[in-house]
């Protein structure tokens, strides 16, 4: 590996232009890749369609499912004749669109009560409304100021086709010329997902911009003692473009979870640039530019590479979780840190060679010997200010070194204390609640969400709990009887279930309220029912679906209800050969809660295993596990702070454990690497610990705090799921920085003493 860095150092110092040209070529290819990036919403973000549950849900949606588009019509009085005539024209126009199965509303009820014609007077309208059952009227006409229309799409439409239909309907609404005072709004799942995609794109842009601005502020504040202090920001921006390019070229899509990865990789990526820039600035005072570049590439870059790969293995662990968008988050973060490392590896030395890099102290020394008053001459006040800043940095270095020395002298009490706190954190972690309700993840004032809530308050939940029933012949009278009675049983037993529809209820409706006694009679009745109705509940003769409608409820309540239904289907006697499977989006989101509970621990453990295996491979010695010891403590602290802060585990915060491993491992590895370097020079153990923390502590602190600034951008997101993740990641980085500087010296001291190093 070191030979590769020697080769790179030679190429950079002797063929700078060629290396710069290759880097530009890669940059332009990445720009092309950014045009291929797409957004991801819907079920595929939560459930892998290649799993049995995912395949069943995909089959149900493709065969039976069709998300309804709701039309909310509001005015001071929607029962006015001119308003109803407008609604009728609008729904008729929509119903004639391709892929629209039906469009119904209050006008449909009025026509049914008036021999197929729309009433022409207010008196007739009032008379018909009084005859309709109050429950039906309440769902279609909750008040005289609002009515709802339901647009049912043909089952099995793809998400892209649903978007096209939604766009066509939006155009129809915009050009429909409603009467004065009448407003029309579209709602439902297709409208919700369409607006969420737009919000995600907007939020991603804001987060990246905010993270970059905070990076600039942090670097100018904390890294101003070096020349070209903003170079790390430019490097991270290049790494970001390379990341987008890799996502586009590999087909990795952006979801509401993945947008949280970009400030993360900005925050982590700037570490690499700062570490390399700091080492270059340190070496430039000791040697020539070419030698300084060579030392930076051959000494610092291998250490940072190990830290970067360790971080990447932590993110790779996320790919083995059960939730697809968490895997995409891990892939994006892995792409990001690799891209930022490559950008730093190439840009820092190449830029230094191209501009003939010199340190600020060198520049100051040259300026002070000028006698002709050139603009480069420092005034006494600016020189004093520079000296003050340098003194502050040196004072901080010494403080870190002395603190590390004290900790290294008394490692056992320090480790006992921090591990005791961590154990409490692991216990509290089990009490942290889990949230998987998509509505709580998006901005609370998002118009599509407000409209969905308006529909839910009026009609109840528009989502159902479907059950797919399979048999050799689902139209056999025994199977139809079971479908009907099981549906009635669930309605009686569970007050959250408001109704059920199935092929059995449809056949009964077309047979004067009775189920047929023979198979041939059932076949005859089904053949008399229009296909547009039967295909919503029947797939050939071997499969049917029954759908339970429910009241509005939290996902945790839906999870409990689905568990009850699953138990009931096993308890309630069914005919031989009948297979019953629960599916649907409510089942998916309720299962996501269980997935989060299992995956957060699984991914954390897997992250530890991956990094330990990598460190063993990289160092080929057992004490390679040393950098992981402080991380165990930090993961425990995370659980305590989440519980005390009242935060929930979501699909995004579920990655906190494995992400902590990735972030913190960089700092702990760099401390250990520098300590080994100082020990190799012949320093005693305690002196080596003091010098390593003193030499690298400032760079780690600066990179850690700039990482905090980058992660803080997440808290500006309008998506609650991302904002809460921002809070937890900021805390995690602070813990990681603390663990590296304060816990790592104790661990190194204890382990290395045991191995026989001279104190």
């Amino acid at each position: 590996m070191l030979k590769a860095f020697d080769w790179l150092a030679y190429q950079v110092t002797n063929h700078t232009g060629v290396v710069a040209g290759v880097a530009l070529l890669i940059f332009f290819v990445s720009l092309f890749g950014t045009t291929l990036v797409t957004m991801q919403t819907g079920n595929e973000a939560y459930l892998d369609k290649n799993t049995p549950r995912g395949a069943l849900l995909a089959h149900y949606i493709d065969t039976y499912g069709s998300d309804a588009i709701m039309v909310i019509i509001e005015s001071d009085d929607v029962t006015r004749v001119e308003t109803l005539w407008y609604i009728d024209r609008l729904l008729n126009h929509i119903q004639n669109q391709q892929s629209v199965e039906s469009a119904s509303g209050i006008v449909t009820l009025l026509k049914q009560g008036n021999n197929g014609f729309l009433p022409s007077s207010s008196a007739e309208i009032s008379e018909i409304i009084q005859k309709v059952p109050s429950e039906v009227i309440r769902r279609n006409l909750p008040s005289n100021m609002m009515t709802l229309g339901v647009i049912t799409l043909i089952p099995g439409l793809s998400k892209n086709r649903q978007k096209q239909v939604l766009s066509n309907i939006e155009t129809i609404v915009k050009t429909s010329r409603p009467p004065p005072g009448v407003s029309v709004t579209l709602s439902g799942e297709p409208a919700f997902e369409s607006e969420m995609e737009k919000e995600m794109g907007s939020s991603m842009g804001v987060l990246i911009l905010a993270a970059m601005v905070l990076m600039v502020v942090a670097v100018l504040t904390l890294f101003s003692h070096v020349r070209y202090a903003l170079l790390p920001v430019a490097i991270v921006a290049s790494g970001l473009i390379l990341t987008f390019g890799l996502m586009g070229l590999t087909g990795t899509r952006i979801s509401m979870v993945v947008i949280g990865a970009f400030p993360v990789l900005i925050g982590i990526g700037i570490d690499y640039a700062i570490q390399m820039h700091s080492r270059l600035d340190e070496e430039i005072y000791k040697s020539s530019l070419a030698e300084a570049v060579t030392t930076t590439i051959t000494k610092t870059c291998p250490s940072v590479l190990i830290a970067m790969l360790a971080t990447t293995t932590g993110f790779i662990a996320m790919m083995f979780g059960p939730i697809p968008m968490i895997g995409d988050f891990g892939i994006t973060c892995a792409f990001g840190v690799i891209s930022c490392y490559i950008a730093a590896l190439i840009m820092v030395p190449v830029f230094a060679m191209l501009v003939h890099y010199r340190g600020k102290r060198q520049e100051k020394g040259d300026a002070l010997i000028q006698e002709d008053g050139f603009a480069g001459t420092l005034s006494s006040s600016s020189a004093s200010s520079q000296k003050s800043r340098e003194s502050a940095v040196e004072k901080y270095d010494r403080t870190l070194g002395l603190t590390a020395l004290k900790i290294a002298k008394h490692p056992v009490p320090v480790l006992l204390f921090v591990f005791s706190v961590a154990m409490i954190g692991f216990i509290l972690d089990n009490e942290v609640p889990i949230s998987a309700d998509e509505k709580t993840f998006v901005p609370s004032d998002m118009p599509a969400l407000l409209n969905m809530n308006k529909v839910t308050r009026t009609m109840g939940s528009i989502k159902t709990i479907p059950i797919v029933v399979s048999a050799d012949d689902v139209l056999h009278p025994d199977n139809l009887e079971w479908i009907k009675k099981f549906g009635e049983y669930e309605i009686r037993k569970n007050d959250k279930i408001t109704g059920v529809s199935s092929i059995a209820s449809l056949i009964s409706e077309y047979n004067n309220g009775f189920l047929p006694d023979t198979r041939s009679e059932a076949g005859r009745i089904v053949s008399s029912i229009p296909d547009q109705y039967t295909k919503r509940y029947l797939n050939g003769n071997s499969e049917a679906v029954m759908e339970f409608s429910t009241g509005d409820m939290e996902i945790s309540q839906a999870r409990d209800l689905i568990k009850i239904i699953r138990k009931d289907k096993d308890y309630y006697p069914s005919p031989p050969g009948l297979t019953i499977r629960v599916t649907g989006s409510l089942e998916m989101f309720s299962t996501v809660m269980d997935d989060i509970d299992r995956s957060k621990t699984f991914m954390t453990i897997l992250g530890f295993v991956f990094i330990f295996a990598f460190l063993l491979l990289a160092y080929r010695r057992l004490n390679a596990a040393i950098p992981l010891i402080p991380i165990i403590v930090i993961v425990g602290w995370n659980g305590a702070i989440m519980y005390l802060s009242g935060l929930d585990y979501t699909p995004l915060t579920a990655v906190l454990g494995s992400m902590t491993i990735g972030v913190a491992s960089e700092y702990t590895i760099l401390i250990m690497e520098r300590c080994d370097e100082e020990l190799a020079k012949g320093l005693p153990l305690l002196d080596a610990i003091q010098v390593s923390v003193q030499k690298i502590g400032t760079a780690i602190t600066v990179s850690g705090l700039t990482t905090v600034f980058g992660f803080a951008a997440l808290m500006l997101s309008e998506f609650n799921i991302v904002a809460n993740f921002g809070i937890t990641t900021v805390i995690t980085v602070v813990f990681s920085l603390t663990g590296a500087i304060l816990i790592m010296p104790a661990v190194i001291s204890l382990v290395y003493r045991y191995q026989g190093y001279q104190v």
Side-chain angles (χ1 to χ4, degrees):
M1 183 176 70
L2 292 178
K3 290 183 179 179
F5 286 103
D6 289 334
W7 176 86
L8 178 61
Y10 176 81
Q11 298 300 324
V12 170
T13 54
N14 292 277
H15 304 98
T16 309
V18 175
V19 177
V22 173
L24 280 175
L25 178 62
I26 296 173
F27 181 80
F28 287 123
V29 172
S30 299
L31 283 177
F32 167 74
T34 60
T35 64
L36 306 177
V37 177
T38 57
M39 298 284 185
Q40 181 186 48
T41 59
N43 298 333
E44 289 185 14
Y46 296 93
L47 185 61
D48 184 356
K49 63 181 180 181
N50 294 319
T51 62
R53 285 181 49 250
L56 177 62
L57 179 59
H59 169 70
Y60 165 75
I61 292 173
D62 292 341
T63 307
Y64 309 100
S66 178
D67 290 322
I69 298 174
M70 314 302 296
V71 184
I72 304 173
I73 302 160
E74 297 174 285
S75 75
D76 56 351
D77 186 359
V78 293
T79 62
R80 289 178 179 173
V81 174
E82 60 269 24
T83 301
L84 292 174
W85 279 92
Y86 162 75
I87 296 172
D88 190 41
R89 290 195 307 272
L90 176 65
L91 294 181
N92 284 336
H93 193 178
I94 292 173
Q95 186 163 343
N96 292 329
Q97 297 300 303
Q98 189 177 9
S99 301
V100 174
E101 184 176 272
S102 65
S104 60
I106 185 64
V107 291
T108 308
L109 292 175
L110 294 174
K111 285 181 178 181
Q112 290 174 351
N114 195 42
N115 299 319
F117 296 98
L118 198 62
S120 56
S121 69
S122 298
E124 289 179 307
I125 293 170
S126 298
E127 184 179 351
I128 295 172
I129 289 176
Q130 290 175 359
K131 294 179 181 179
V132 178
S134 59
E135 183 177 342
V136 176
I137 286 295
R138 189 165 55 250
R139 288 173 63 87
N140 289 271
L141 188 69
S143 74
N144 284 352
M145 299 178 66
M146 183 179 76
T147 185
L148 298 175
V150 180
I151 302 170
T152 305
L153 305 182
I154 292 174
L157 290 183
S158 66
K159 290 296 181 183
N160 287 334
R161 181 55 188 156
Q162 286 190 22
K163 290 178 185 177
Q164 294 173 1
V165 175
L166 176 65
S167 179
N168 293 340
I169 295 173
E170 287 174 342
T171 301
I172 292 172
V173 170
K174 289 178 182 177
T175 59
S176 62
R177 297 182 181 179
V182 175
S183 66
V184 182
T185 307
L186 298 181
S187 185
E189 286 296 327
F192 180 81
E193 291 184 7
S194 176
E195 186 168 336
M196 189 166 66
E197 281 192 16
K198 296 176 184 176
E199 290 282 347
M200 282 165 49
S202 174
S203 179
M204 182 178 65
V206 170
L207 287 181
I208 292 175
L209 178 61
M212 296 303 293
V213 170
L214 289 172
M215 285 291 100
V216 171
V217 172
V219 169
L220 289 178
T221 303
L222 303 169
F223 203 50
S224 60
H225 60 281
V226 304
R227 200 176 182 196
Y228 303 111
L230 291 179
L231 176 60
V233 178
I235 290 172
V236 169
S238 301
L240 194 65
I241 291 173
L242 182 56
T243 303
F244 274 110
L246 286 171
M247 291 180 67
L249 294 172
T250 58
T252 304
R253 294 192 286 175
I254 297 174
S255 66
M256 72 168 70
V257 167
V258 173
I259 60 176
F262 299 110
V264 168
L265 66 90
I266 290 172
I268 296 175
I270 204 163
D271 283 355
Y272 309 139
I274 287 176
Q275 293 292 338
M276 296 179 196
H277 195 171
S278 295
R279 186 62 182 260
L280 174 69
D281 195 71
E282 177 186 334
E283 296 296 330
I284 202 69
Y285 300 110
K286 305 176 184 177
S287 56
S288 67
L289 175 59
E291 290 173 340
V293 167
T294 300
T295 301
T296 300
I297 293 176
T298 58
K299 295 295 185 183
T300 299
C301 293
S303 299
V304 177
L305 174 63
I306 292 174
M308 182 275 291
L309 292 176
T311 300
T312 303
T313 57
F315 291 135
I316 289 175
M318 300 177 192
M319 297 168 55
F320 294 88
I323 304 176
M325 60 183 173
I326 289 181
D328 289 341
F329 178 89
I331 293 172
T332 303
C333 287
F335 283 163
V337 295
I338 293 171
S339 299
C340 289
Y341 174 81
I342 293 173
L345 176 65
I346 301 300
M347 290 180 65
V348 168
V350 168
F351 179 82
M353 294 299 298
L354 291 176
V355 302
H356 304 289
Y357 186 91
R358 305 186 72 192
K360 272 193 171 183
R361 281 182 286 168
Q362 290 173 323
E363 187 179 59
K364 186 187 79 169
D366 290 345
L368 288 175
I369 64 173
Q370 300 285 338
E371 296 180 358
D372 53 4
F374 279 6
T377 304
L378 291 174
S379 66
S380 60
S381 62
S382 62
S384 174
S385 175
Q386 178 69 20
K387 182 177 180 181
S388 174
R389 285 197 296 270
E390 289 178 350
S391 298
V393 171
E394 291 170 355
K395 184 177 180 180
Y396 179 71
D397 286 340
R398 286 194 300 272
T399 302
L400 286 181
L402 291 173
T403 303
L405 179 61
K406 290 180 181 179
I407 292 172
K409 287 180 178 179
H410 309 284
V412 175
V414 172
L415 293 177
L416 285 176
F417 173 74
V418 296
F419 269 97
S420 297
V421 176
M423 288 302 297
I424 295 172
F426 284 122
I427 295 171
L428 294 177
D429 183 73
N430 295 321
E431 303 301 321
V432 177
I434 297 172
S435 174
D437 191 345
E438 190 176 38
K439 291 182 180 180
T440 65
F441 299 160
V442 301
S444 57
D445 59 349
M446 191 171 81
L449 177 62
L450 298 178
N451 292 330
M452 284 278 284
N453 290 338
K454 188 182 295 184
V455 171
T456 301
R457 286 194 301 269
T458 302
M459 302 184 66
S461 176
I462 59 176
K463 292 184 178 180
T464 61
I465 299 177
I467 294 181
V468 177
V469 180
S470 305
D472 292 337
D473 185 2
V474 292
L475 294 179
H476 189 281
D478 291 344
N479 294 330
L480 291 176
E481 184 74 14
W482 183 90
I483 292 173
K484 179 183 178 183
K485 289 188 175 180
F486 182 72
E488 294 171 347
Y489 172 77
E490 290 299 327
I491 293 175
R492 291 194 307 269
K493 182 179 178 183
N494 302 301
D495 57 1
K496 287 292 184 181
I497 296 178
T498 58
V500 61
S501 56
S502 65
I503 187 62
S505 59
L506 187 63
I507 290 175
S508 177
E509 181 181 342
Y510 275 79
N511 193 43
N512 300 319
F514 298 97
L515 288 177
D517 295 324
T518 64
R519 173 61 180 82
S520 59
E521 187 180 358
R524 179 184 59 78
I525 297 171
V526 168
S527 63
S528 68
I529 303 174
D531 288 344
Q532 67 186 60
Y533 299 122
T534 56
K535 66 184 178 183
R536 295 193 64 84
Y537 304 107
L538 187 65
N539 180 27
N541 292 328
S542 61
E543 185 181 86
V545 68
M546 54 192 306
E547 295 184 337
F548 291 106
S549 55
T550 67
D552 189 29
M553 54 185 169
E554 302 291 336
I555 292 297
S556 58
Q557 295 174 308
R559 179 174 64 169
D560 294 338
L561 177 58
I562 289 170
K563 287 180 179 178
I564 291 173
I565 293 175
R566 282 201 170 104
K567 289 181 180 179
D568 288 345
K569 74 179 179 61
D570 294 332
Y571 165 77
Y572 198 85
S574 60
L578 200 67
T579 303
I580 306 107
R581 294 170 292 173
V582 183
T583 187
S585 59
L586 282 177
E587 189 274 341
M588 177 190 70
F589 281 116
S590 64
T591 307
V592 165
M593 296 183 68
D594 298 324
D595 289 341
I596 292 172
D597 192 24
R598 291 191 302 268
S599 65
K600 65 183 178 68
T601 303
F602 172 75
M603 288 187 294
T604 301
I605 295 173
L606 196 62
F608 275 115
V609 171
F610 280 178
I611 291 185
F612 179 59
F614 168 74
L615 292 177
L616 279 179
L617 183 64
Y619 292 109
R620 294 181 176 85
R621 62 179 191 262
L622 286 177
N623 64 0
I626 289 175
L628 297 181
I629 296 174
I631 302 175
I632 296 173
V633 174
I634 297 166
V635 171
W637 291 354
N638 286 341
I641 203 67
M642 286 196 69
Y643 176 81
L644 296 174
S645 301
L647 298 172
D648 294 348
Y649 274 119
T650 67
L652 193 46
T653 51
V655 308
L656 193 60
S658 52
M659 197 191 75
T660 299
I661 297 170
V663 173
S665 63
E666 177 193 348
Y667 303 135
T668 56
I669 288 172
L670 290 175
I671 291 286
M672 187 182 75
E673 282 275 336
R674 190 59 182 257
C675 185
D676 288 345
E677 185 179 332
E678 299 301 330
L679 286 171
K681 294 177 181 178
L683 287 179
L685 177 59
L686 294 181
D687 290 344
I689 292 173
Q690 180 181 1
V691 171
S692 62
V693 173
Q694 185 167 319
K695 289 288 186 182
I696 204 172
T698 297
I700 285 181
T701 302
V702 171
S703 61
L705 291 178
T706 50
T707 302
V708 168
F709 273 67
F711 285 10
L714 292 166
M715 293 188 286
L716 302 177
S717 175
E718 293 182 346
F719 282 76
N720 299 326
I721 185 175
V722 177
N724 290 338
F725 180 61
I727 297 172
T728 56
T729 50
V730 165
I731 295 170
T732 293
V733 175
V734 173
F735 284 168
S736 300
L737 190 60
T738 304
I741 295 177
L742 300 182
I743 302 176
M744 194 62 180
V747 175
I748 292 175
S749 175
L750 193 63
V751 175
Y752 279 36
R753 283 185 191 184
Y754 178 77
Q755 292 181 342
Y757 279 88
Q758 183 64 39
V759 176

